[in-house]
């Protein structure tokens, strides 16, 4: 595929890195030559300096042959204009990064499609969804609902209270057991476990299960004593905080701490229709946190634009007794450090946005592509086409690439865990876990015209 990315910021650069692994024909455009320095030598891509809305620049990049055009500069209007121009010049699909929530309304989809913009991404909305899902379950690091919740992926930090430590997984996760473990994060290593592997203390284990067995998972990992989240303090009043406030369950009491007085006024205007308290102050101020009831707070969410500030604030909240902490960490170099400090849930908007865009590259019928930063992996929901390779043999005989695991499927709206003897049928929505981003290698198994 030929892909053109307009904007060499955080999202564009990270997406280029992903595409270079797949050896795609990728061109990265930016006006600022400093943003492009050395990227073509680091990754297997071409770089081009120029305005992203320049017809000359887009033609030079080969837009008329582009399978996908991606507008991810910081400027919403520029992204949308670039997509419309790219579409007019021949690009097959376009996607634009936006920061206006009303554009995501369902009735607007056909309107933008007619304009030549096939998809819109709002990274702050994607981040808010992840944060809200995590807050609903205080004892998990990450939760992904697949196919409307028919299947659930839970990332859980294992402590001393876990009752399934130091036992071979073949004794724990048989064909009839209510969960599978699809990945283990141990220190700086990712394991795609086999039957002889064991779970150790301080591992982060990724459990695939169905909704009815979530209480059972909570019991065996020893998390029943965790208090459900009711009171939440959010540090930083940016767009992500606004989306979290608007999507959080009604039973949660939210307080937003923001240093900028003018931003506090805007927050009060934006959130006037919901019960959220906006506090002018510094979320790292221990006196302020104590005054605002940190001792009775179950979750602390740090969403400033500074990763170091967010990490420090979460450490402070942990020291003050908050069990659930969430940190926005935009610098990927800090992710491992944040995990080693036991920060809790780590959110990165650019990986969320890149996963959404990456989904558009795949030819198979695929939904809900999500990136799991800590284990350098993707999770995707593929629909098996009639006559596809994946429907011809039991799972154990498919010859899936190394690092690829089928964790479950949804058939007739019912979640089913998969084992080696499972026979996938046409129309099944299949949850695929891919270590080191192998989705392009997997999609051929689900396409009706795949060679088998």
């Amino acid at each position: 595929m030929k892909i053109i990315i307009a904007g060499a910021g955080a999202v564009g650069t990270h997406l280029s890195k992903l595409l270079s692994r797949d050896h795609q024909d990728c061109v990265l455009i930016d006006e600022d030559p400093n943003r492009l320095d050395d990227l073509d030598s680091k990754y297997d891509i071409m770089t081009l300096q120029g305005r992203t809305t320049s017809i000359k620049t887009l033609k030079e990049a080969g837009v008329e042959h582009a399978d996908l055009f991606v507008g991810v500069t910081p400027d919403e209007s520029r992204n949308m204009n670039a997509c419309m121009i790219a579409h007019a010049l021949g690009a097959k699909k376009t996607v634009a990064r936006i920061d206006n929530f009303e554009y995501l309304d369902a009735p607007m989809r056909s309107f933008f499609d007619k304009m030549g913009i096939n998809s819109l991404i709002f990274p702050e909305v994607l981040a808010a969804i992840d944060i809200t899902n995590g807050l609903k379950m205080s004892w998990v690091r990450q939760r992904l609902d697949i196919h409307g919740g028919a299947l659930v992926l839970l990332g859980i930090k294992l402590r001393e209270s876990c009752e399934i430590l130091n036992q071979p997984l073949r004794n724990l996760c048989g064909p009839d057991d209510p969960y599978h473990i699809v990945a283990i994060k141990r220190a700086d290593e990712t394991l795609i476990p086999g039957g002889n592997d064991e779970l150790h203390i301080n591992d982060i284990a990724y459990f695939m299960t169905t909704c009815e067995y979530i209480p059972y998972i909570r019991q065996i990992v020893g998390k029943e004593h965790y208090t459900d989240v009711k009171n939440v303090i959010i540090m930083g009043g940016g767009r992500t905080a606004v989306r979290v406030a608007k999507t959080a369950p009604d039973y949660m009491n939210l307080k937003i701490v923001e240093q900028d007085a003018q931003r506090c006024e805007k927050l009060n205007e934006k959130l006037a229709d919901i019960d959220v308290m906006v506090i002018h102050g510094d979320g790292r101020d221990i006196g302020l946190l104590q005054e605002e009831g940190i001792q009775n707070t179950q979750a602390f969410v740090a969403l400033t634009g500074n990763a170091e500030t967010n990490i420090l604030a979460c450490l402070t909240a942990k020291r003050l007794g908050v069990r659930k902490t969430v940190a926005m960490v935009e610098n990927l170099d800090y992710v491992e450090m944040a995990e080693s400090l036991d920060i809790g849930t780590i959110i990165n908007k650019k990986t969320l946005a890149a996963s959404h865009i990456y989904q558009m590259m795949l030819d198979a019928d695929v939904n809900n592509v999500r990136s799991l930063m800590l284990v350098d992996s993707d999770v995707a929901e593929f629909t098996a086409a009639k006559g596809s390779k994946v429907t011809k043999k039991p799972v154990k005989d498919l010859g899936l690439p190394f690092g690829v695991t089928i964790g479950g499927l949804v058939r007739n709206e019912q979640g089913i865990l998969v084992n080696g003897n499972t026979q996938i049928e046409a129309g099944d929505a299949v949850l695929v876990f891919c270590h080191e981003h192998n989705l392009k290698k997997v999609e051929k198994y689900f396409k009706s015209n795949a060679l088998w």
Side-chain angles (χ1 to χ4, degrees):
M1 290 184 72
K2 183 174 183 63
I3 299 130
I4 298 175
I5 303 172
V11 175
T13 303
H14 184 69
L15 184 60
S16 299
K17 180 181 178 181
L18 293 182
L19 297 179
S20 69
R21 294 181 176 183
D22 289 340
H23 305 290
Q24 302 291 336
D25 180 4
C26 179
V27 181
L28 179 60
I29 304 172
D30 202 280
E31 285 188 66
D32 186 350
N34 294 323
R35 289 179 177 267
L36 299 173
D37 274 353
D38 301 326
L39 288 180
D40 51 355
S41 59
K42 285 182 181 178
Y43 310 132
D44 184 18
I45 61 170
M46 291 181 60
T47 59
L48 179 62
Q49 182 188 355
R51 288 190 300 112
T52 57
T53 53
S54 163
I55 294 175
K56 179 182 177 182
T57 300
L58 296 184
K59 284 185 174 180
E60 189 177 346
V63 70
E64 67 272 18
H65 304 299
D67 297 288
L68 179 63
F69 180 89
V70 181
V72 285
T73 75
D75 188 319
E76 172 188 81
S77 298
R78 184 179 298 178
N79 294 335
M80 298 178 77
N81 288 335
C83 284
M84 288 187 282
I85 295 169
H87 172 77
L89 293 175
K92 294 184 177 66
K93 291 182 183 178
T94 66
V95 55
R97 177 181 180 175
I98 62 168
D99 53 30
N100 189 333
F101 185 73
E102 66 181 356
Y103 291 167
L104 296 179
D105 287 347
M108 298 297 293
R109 292 177 185 172
S110 60
F111 170 77
F112 286 115
D113 197 58
K114 290 175 183 176
M115 292 173 60
I117 305 171
N118 305 119
S119 185
L120 300 170
I121 57 167
F122 193 151
E124 288 78 8
V125 169
L126 299 176
I129 292 170
D130 263 22
I131 292 167
T132 302
N133 282 341
L135 291 178
K136 290 175 183 176
M137 300 174 68
S138 61
W139 51 280
V140 303
R141 289 294 176 89
Q142 189 165 19
R143 170 178 175 163
L144 298 181
D145 289 331
I146 311 300
H147 208 85
L151 290 170
V152 182
L153 182 68
L154 304 174
I156 304 172
K157 183 91 169 187
L158 305 181
R159 309 291 189 182
E160 297 90 340
S161 55
C162 178
E163 63 185 56
I164 55 173
L165 298 176
N166 307 316
Q167 304 174 55
L169 292 181
R170 65 175 179 272
N171 297 339
L172 301 173
C173 309
D176 299 321
D177 285 306
Y179 65 91
H180 291 162
I181 295 175
V182 296
I184 301 169
K185 177 69 172 180
R186 180 171 298 155
D188 58 354
E189 182 182 10
T190 296
L191 304 177
I192 306 302
N196 294 324
D197 288 303
E198 301 177 351
L199 297 173
H200 295 166
I201 190 171
N202 293 325
D203 284 350
I204 297 178
Y206 286 82
F207 291 75
M208 178 64 62
T209 189
T210 53
C211 278
E212 64 265 34
Y213 288 108
I214 290 176
Y216 174 72
I217 302 296
R218 185 173 187 174
Q219 175 191 333
I220 62 175
V221 298
K223 303 283 188 177
E224 288 184 301
H225 62 288
Y226 276 57
T227 305
D228 290 336
V229 173
K230 183 179 179 182
N231 300 318
V232 182
I233 292 179
I234 300 174
M235 182 180 77
R239 288 197 295 259
T240 304
V242 171
R243 298 319 318 166
V244 171
K246 286 183 174 291
T247 55
D250 291 339
Y251 63 82
M252 289 186 186
N253 301 315
L254 272 62
K255 296 179 179 180
I256 299 177
V257 182
E258 167 60 44
Q259 279 189 294
D260 187 282
Q262 290 185 336
R263 181 61 184 171
C264 286
E265 292 180 10
K266 290 184 179 179
L267 286 171
N268 281 319
E269 293 173 7
K270 289 177 177 290
L271 302 175
D273 57 333
I274 56 177
D275 187 16
V276 175
M277 182 181 293
V278 177
I279 300 162
H280 180 217
D282 187 341
R284 295 166 297 179
D285 183 336
I286 294 177
L288 174 64
L289 294 177
Q290 290 174 333
E291 184 179 330
E292 295 302 330
I294 192 73
Q295 66 276 9
N296 297 315
T297 297
Q298 292 82 41
F300 182 90
V301 183
L303 300 178
T304 77
N306 186 288
E308 297 97 323
T309 297
N310 294 339
I311 292 170
L312 177 61
C314 285
L315 287 173
T316 301
K318 285 262 186 184
R319 188 162 64 86
L320 294 173
V322 179
R323 191 180 289 276
K324 176 80 173 181
T325 57
V326 180
M328 183 79 77
V329 180
E330 287 301 285
N331 188 334
L332 287 175
D333 294 334
Y334 289 169
V335 170
E336 288 290 343
M337 179 188 72
E339 173 52 36
S340 68
L341 293 171
D342 205 16
I343 289 300
T345 301
I346 299 166
I347 300 293
N348 184 282
K349 289 183 293 186
K350 64 186 174 187
T351 59
L352 293 171
S355 295
H356 183 90
I357 297 166
Y358 192 81
Q359 177 178 320
M360 297 186 67
M361 292 173 42
L362 302 173
D363 295 326
D365 187 354
V366 59
N367 292 293
N368 298 327
V369 176
R370 302 298 298 276
S371 177
L372 305 176
M373 281 187 304
L374 290 181
V375 285
D376 193 26
S377 303
D378 292 315
V379 176
E381 178 189 332
F382 284 91
T383 299
K386 186 176 180 179
S388 59
K389 183 176 180 179
V390 79
T391 64
K392 297 301 177 180
K393 298 177 182 179
V395 169
K396 61 182 174 58
D397 298 325
L398 289 176
L400 294 169
F402 178 76
V404 173
T405 303
I406 293 179
L409 61 84
V410 181
R411 181 179 297 160
N412 299 323
E413 303 304 316
Q414 181 180 357
I416 302 170
L417 296 181
V418 167
N419 60 61
N421 295 318
T422 300
Q423 180 68 58
I424 295 170
E425 299 176 3
D428 287 348
V430 183
L431 195 283
V432 181
F433 180 94
C434 299
H435 183 45
E436 294 183 340
H437 312 284
N438 287 315
L439 289 180
K440 286 298 288 183
K441 296 179 182 178
V442 174
E443 68 171 345
K444 64 183 180 182
Y445 288 82
F446 293 86
K447 293 166 60 177
S448 59
N449 62 344
L451 298 176
W452 46 269

